Amino acid sequence: MEEKVSVPIQDKPHTVTTLEPGVLEKMVNLLVPLHQKQNPFFVPAFLCTYRRLTRTGQVLDLLFNRYAHFQPNCEEDEQVKNTLCSMIAMWLDQYPEDFCQSKDLTNLNKLMAYALLHMPSDRQV
């Protein structure tokens, strides 16, 4: 009599997490304010997990659309710019592959175009 052996299946289909409309935008809109408040958890957790929800390009689009216009000589806007620089530097340091994939530099180009237009020249990433 043959003995049957059970083998666990390793290749389960990946489940794709879907969000309700507007949730990703709300999460992206919280990145800068919570980073300004020095929340030690939200930005790192978001950067670690967002790929399960969307692409890097979409996060950049939402972030850069949210912070597309700044007032000249406005202290609050300068603080936002500095916070953006700090957060993007953290992102580049911890997840460089989000920007520097050898075949596709779209995200890096998008980041550089935004930085050249909006970031303080002494803080550009």
Side-chain angles (χ1 to χ4, degrees):
M1 190 159 154
E2 260 181 48
E3 188 176 326
K4 293 185 179 180
V5 178
S6 236
V7 178
I9 298 174
Q10 301 276 333
D11 296 326
K12 293 181 181 179
H14 296 283
T15 55
V16 176
T17 305
T18 56
L19 294 175
E20 299 210 9
V23 172
L24 180 62
E25 186 173 358
K26 287 178 185 175
M27 291 170 67
V28 170
N29 287 346
L30 287 172
L31 290 170
V32 169
L34 290 177
H35 196 63
Q36 282 180 315
K37 293 178 183 175
Q38 298 180 350
N39 179 306
F41 303 109
F42 187 78
V43 173
F46 180 84
L47 293 176
C48 180
T49 60
Y50 80 87
R51 289 162 211 78
R52 296 179 192 156
L53 309 170
T54 190
R55 305 173 285 64
T56 300
Q58 186 176 11
V59 173
L60 291 174
D61 288 342
L62 289 169
L63 187 63
F64 295 162
N65 285 336
R66 169 68 180 89
Y67 298 103
H69 304 287
F70 294 102
Q71 300 296 317
N73 304 316
C74 175
E75 182 61 33
E76 185 177 327
D77 283 354
E78 291 304 312
Q79 289 174 0
V80 168
K81 288 179 188 182
N82 288 330
T83 302
L84 273 168
C85 283
S86 171
M87 190 182 74
I88 290 169
M90 177 195 312
W91 192 353
L92 285 164
D93 183 53
Q94 294 178 3
Y95 302 97
E97 66 277 6
D98 288 352
F99 300 93
C100 301
Q101 296 176 0
S102 60
K103 294 180 182 177
D104 183 10
L105 296 176
T106 304
N107 294 331
L108 183 60
N109 290 333
K110 192 180 292 191
L111 173 59
M112 292 304 297
Y114 182 84
L116 288 171
L117 186 62
H118 294 291
M119 293 298 143
S121 58
D122 63 333
R123 291 288 316 255
Q124 286 186 2
V125 282

